[in-house]
């Protein structure tokens, strides 16, 4: 019998049904993008309220697409960390309600580990451990050494903004919509990535596997609105905008690649997986694959639908269910502060 997974860490309400052999029978994601677009960032209270309205219909839709009823569910999994506390609690409450009424196990899983597990779902046993894992999203930019799906050692991460957050801010500066990543990617297609030389902070520092994106964000801001000049200049358009988007995208991806390569060199690891919303970016996906080929490293990239937040990656809970584990109804959330301080 399959597993029902629930995901409400940030601004996506999601549910999925995954079988024991890791087949995804359904994966439903209700995006709240339209609710947060006018703020160009996630408003925690708005997110929590939207989760309350959407969680039950989303679960019912996931069960219906999978062709099963609630009583056919063998266990329930829910992302409990990291995330916005109000958002996490809605998913946890729904999961506990189902586990309590059906008398089935409940497993709390880590959203970050789950982002990387998306590669396991997509590539099955071909994905080998140990492996280097890059999580690049709106809330996180971190590198891990994974001994197995559940054993991760953090090698480093951003010291300021997450890369997705930088994409969102760049899009806002260029007068594009939210979330910014897909807009930057689209506009950058017509631009010259060498038009502007934007900074790649820490990229040449061989001593640390860390990232920094706030300087890149500021550099773009100064190109769009030079310091000391008027604040209310209209956003750039046409070729100028395309060149700025392409130069920004190239700088962000170069910064990531430099540290992925450093992590591969330091660990000597022969396997690399990526996950999180920014890993839907074509330039990142292609650059990572080229890096893997050049270094003789096997690269695992999830399909775009498994990159951005979804509940199918909650299939990671099978790794614990197979060991007979059950977190029980005392399960609680462990909110991370990094998402709740997400800047606009
Ligand atoms: O993983 P995700 O859905 O949510 C978090 O865990 O944060 O990631 C969302 C982030 C947003 O910042 C969005 O702009 C970025 O992923 N993103 C992209 C692309 N698609 C989504 N960034 C660059 N290129 C894309 N194609
Ligand atoms: Zn995420």
């Amino acid at each position: 019998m399959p597993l029902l997974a629930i995901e409400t860490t940030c601004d996506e309400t999601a549910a999925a049904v995954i079988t024991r052999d890791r087949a995804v029978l359904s994966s439903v994601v209700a995006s709240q993008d339209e609710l947060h677009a006018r703020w160009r960032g996630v408003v925690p209270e708005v997110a929590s309220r939207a989760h309350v309205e959407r969680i039950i219909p989303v679960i019912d839709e996931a069960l219906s697409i999978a062709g099963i009823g609630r009583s056919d569910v063998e266990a329930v999994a829910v992302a409990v960390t990291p995330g916005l506390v109000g958002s996490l609690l809605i998913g946890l409450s729904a999961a506990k309600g189902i586990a309590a009424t059906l008398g089935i196990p409940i497993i709390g899983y880590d959203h970050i580990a789950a982002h990387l597990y998306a590669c396991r779902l997509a590539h099955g046993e071909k994905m080998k451990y140990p492996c280097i894992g890059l999580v690049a999203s709106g809330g996180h930019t971190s590198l891990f050494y994974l001994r197995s799906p559940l054993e991760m050692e953090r090698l480093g991460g951003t010291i300021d903004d997450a890369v997705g957050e930088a994409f969102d801010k760049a899009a806002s500066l260029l007068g594009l919509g939210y979330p910014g990543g897909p807009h930057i990617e689209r506009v950058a297609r017509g631009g010259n990535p060498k038009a502007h030389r934007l900074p790649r902070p820490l990229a040449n520092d061989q001593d640390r596997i860390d990232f920094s994106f706030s300087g890149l964000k500021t550099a773009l801001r100064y190109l769009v609105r030079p310091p000391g000049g008027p604040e209310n200049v209209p956003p750039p358009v046409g070729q100028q905008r395309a060149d700025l988007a392409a130069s920004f995208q190239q700088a962000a991806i170069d910064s990531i690649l430099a540290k992925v390569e450093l992590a591969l060199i330091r660990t000597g690891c022969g396997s690399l997986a990526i996950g999180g919303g920014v890993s839907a970016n074509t330039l990142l996906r292609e650059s990572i694959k080229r890096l893997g080929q050049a270094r003789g490293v096997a690269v695992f990239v999830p399909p775009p639908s498994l990159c951005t937040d979804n509940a199918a990656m909650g299939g990671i809970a099978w790794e614990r269910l197979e060991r007979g584990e059950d977190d029980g109804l005392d399960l609680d959330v462990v909110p991370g502060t990094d998402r709740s301080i997400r800047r606009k």
Side-chain angles (χ1 to χ4, degrees):
M1 285 206 299
L3 163 77
L4 171 69
I6 295 172
E7 151 73 46
T8 59
T9 54
C10 191
D11 62 337
E12 256 93 33
T13 317
V17 175
I18 309 108
T19 65
R20 186 176 278 267
D21 57 8
R22 314 304 195 257
V24 179
L25 299 185
S26 64
S27 176
V28 176
V29 181
S31 161
Q32 300 179 9
D33 287 348
E34 78 288 354
L35 295 179
H36 303 284
R38 61 186 282 227
W39 311 104
R40 295 203 164 92
V42 176
V43 183
E45 184 59 22
V46 173
S48 307
R49 285 166 191 262
H51 284 310
V52 172
E53 286 167 12
R54 295 165 190 212
I55 187 70
I56 300 299
V58 164
I59 290 172
D60 286 345
E61 194 182 340
L63 294 173
S64 145
I65 293 171
I68 61 168
R70 281 194 195 180
S71 53
D72 297 319
V73 171
E74 179 171 334
V76 59
V78 57
V80 288
T81 190
L84 300 169
V85 63
S87 293
L88 288 166
L89 284 169
I90 311 301
L92 179 65
S93 307
K96 280 189 182 177
I98 293 169
T101 39
L102 297 177
I104 56 174
I106 180 169
I107 296 280
Y109 66 87
D110 181 319
H111 175 82
I112 301 300
H115 263 309
L116 293 170
Y117 198 74
C119 289
R120 184 72 156 189
L121 289 175
H123 298 279
E125 298 287 320
K126 273 192 248 150
M127 186 181 153
K128 295 281 177 245
Y129 297 88
C131 145
I132 295 296
L134 166 74
V135 178
S137 72
H140 305 273
T141 311
S142 305
L143 275 160
F144 298 92
Y145 181 79
L146 281 85
R147 285 186 183 79
S148 71
L150 300 172
E151 294 167 288
M152 330 182 11
E153 179 193 332
R154 192 172 183 274
L155 301 174
T158 183
I159 58 168
D160 42 53
D161 301 334
V163 65
E165 192 181 339
F167 267 94
D168 293 339
K169 180 69 184 176
S172 162
L173 284 167
L174 299 181
L176 300 165
Y178 174 86
H183 292 284
I184 294 279
E185 175 166 4
R186 175 178 47 81
V187 170
R189 275 189 214 119
N192 172 9
K194 295 192 176 141
H196 304 278
R197 178 73 200 166
L198 288 164
R200 284 119 170 105
L202 302 182
N204 294 323
D205 185 340
Q206 297 297 309
D207 292 332
R208 53 197 293 195
I209 303 184
D210 287 323
F211 306 95
S212 166
F213 294 100
S214 73
L216 170 60
K217 215 169 69 174
T218 309
L220 183 71
R221 185 183 191 283
Y222 284 167
L223 281 176
V224 175
R225 288 187 220 141
E231 269 297 307
N232 55 352
V233 279
V237 290
Q239 193 59 44
Q240 200 193 352
R241 179 164 78 177
D243 287 346
L244 286 163
S247 302
F248 167 85
Q249 180 175 249
Q250 189 67 57
I253 304 303
D254 283 353
S255 301
I256 291 179
L257 284 181
K259 298 305 169 181
V260 171
E261 185 162 27
L262 186 56
L264 290 172
I265 293 169
R266 279 226 196 136
T267 59
C269 200
S271 175
L272 170 65
I274 66 172
V278 182
S279 54
N281 182 279
T282 312
L283 180 65
L284 177 62
R285 297 163 79 85
E286 287 175 359
S287 309
I288 285 271
K289 284 179 193 161
R290 271 200 302 275
L291 175 67
Q293 267 163 8
R295 301 204 63 86
V297 166
V299 172
F300 302 98
V301 174
S305 61
L306 288 180
C307 290
T308 44
D309 285 351
N310 65 86
M313 62 194 196
I316 193 171
W318 275 119
E319 300 290 326
R320 294 187 53 213
L321 284 165
E322 282 174 342
R323 298 180 197 162
E325 294 180 29
D326 177 359
D327 288 324
L329 295 176
D330 290 336
L331 180 63
D332 206 351
V333 300
V334 185
T337 50
D338 43 359
R339 278 167 171 246
S340 36
I341 58 161
R342 191 163 161 179
R343 281 164 232 135
K344 286 178 214 147

